[in-house]
Amino acid sequence: MSVLPLVFTSGWASGINAYAVVLLLGVFGATGLSDDVPEVLQRPDVLIAAAVLFLCEAVADKIPYVDSVWDSVHTVIRPIAGAVVAALLAGQSGSLPELAAGAVGGTTALMSHFVKAGTRMAVNTSPEPFSNIAVSTAEDLGVAAIIIFALFHPVAAAVIAGTLLALGLAAVVFLAQRIRRFWRRRAQRRAERRPTGPGVRHPVPTDGSEHF
């Protein structure tokens, strides 16, 4: 059977929480619950590192604005993780070239990462922190559920992941106005933190708008 459905699903999940994907796959492989997990993901050092980073993300992901900073840092990490996991899965099964699998996993992870980051920007426009906690918890549970499901029903899981990705992209487009509001608010906060007063020199405009 082709490993492509599992590659696609793991890529989607990696864009949401790459550390959870590595941890879950590794645990299922190490405990013998799945034969589709590469041995490198089952190594104790990999599992410990994934568990520690997952706990860090579980905290950062639930704090308003901190979650968006965390997402910014992971714009590169999540797609790379998705590509590496996909290539390892392909190498384990031998039914799909590793380079092709890496491209599928990395691209899917990048798209789902942008969906997550965009959704968080929209959520951060609300003043209370409870929506961040609710969204983060739902994401963690969703990733866990779909990865476990994919190990036993890869095709069905891939259909679900593809549907969620399409809905997520549509939601980000719909929430574009709130996302722009998020960026304006960040720019305003940076401006408010900028030092002012006598002795503080600000750049002189070069567009001919100097006031005399």
Side-chain angles (χ1 to χ4, degrees):
M1 184 181 65
S2 173
V3 75
L4 182 59
L6 183 57
V7 163
F8 179 83
T9 304
S10 66
W12 173 85
S14 294
I16 307 297
N17 193 326
Y19 306 125
V21 173
V22 173
L23 182 60
L24 283 169
L25 289 176
V27 168
F28 268 71
T31 55
L33 294 174
S34 175
D35 297 327
D36 298 325
V37 180
E39 291 185 3
V40 65
L41 297 179
Q42 304 176 33
R43 289 168 39 183
D45 57 333
V46 172
L47 291 176
I48 291 172
V52 171
L53 290 170
F54 170 75
L55 291 175
C56 292
E57 176 150 335
V59 175
D61 212 34
K62 294 174 176 60
I63 303 174
Y65 294 100
V66 173
D67 57 354
S68 289
V69 174
W70 184 269
D71 286 338
S72 298
V73 173
H74 284 74
T75 300
V76 175
I77 296 175
R78 287 170 183 158
I80 290 177
V84 170
V85 170
L88 290 172
L89 290 171
Q92 176 79 358
S93 71
S95 61
L96 183 69
E98 295 180 24
L99 185 60
V104 172
T107 302
T108 308
L110 181 62
M111 288 191 294
S112 62
H113 164 76
F114 280 135
V115 169
K116 173 177 179 172
T119 303
R120 288 310 182 84
M121 291 178 190
V123 170
N124 280 333
T125 60
S126 62
E128 41 74 30
F130 303 107
S131 54
N132 296 75
I133 296 174
V135 171
S136 176
T137 302
E139 288 171 350
D140 293 342
L141 293 176
V143 166
I146 201 164
I147 285 297
I148 294 172
F149 188 59
L151 288 172
F152 303 100
H153 305 282
V155 176
V159 171
I160 295 173
T163 302
L164 291 174
L165 180 59
L167 291 174
L169 291 171
V172 169
V173 172
F174 179 76
L175 295 170
Q177 184 175 358
R178 297 192 68 176
I179 294 172
R180 286 193 295 268
R181 193 185 311 162
F182 168 86
W183 285 113
R184 285 197 299 267
R185 185 175 296 181
R186 284 194 64 181
Q188 182 179 359
R189 291 190 175 190
R190 287 179 180 175
E192 290 174 351
R193 289 196 295 265
R194 188 178 303 169
T196 58
V200 177
R201 302 182 62 183
H202 296 288
V204 177
T206 58
D207 58 357
S209 59
E210 296 92 341
H211 296 283
F212 297 97

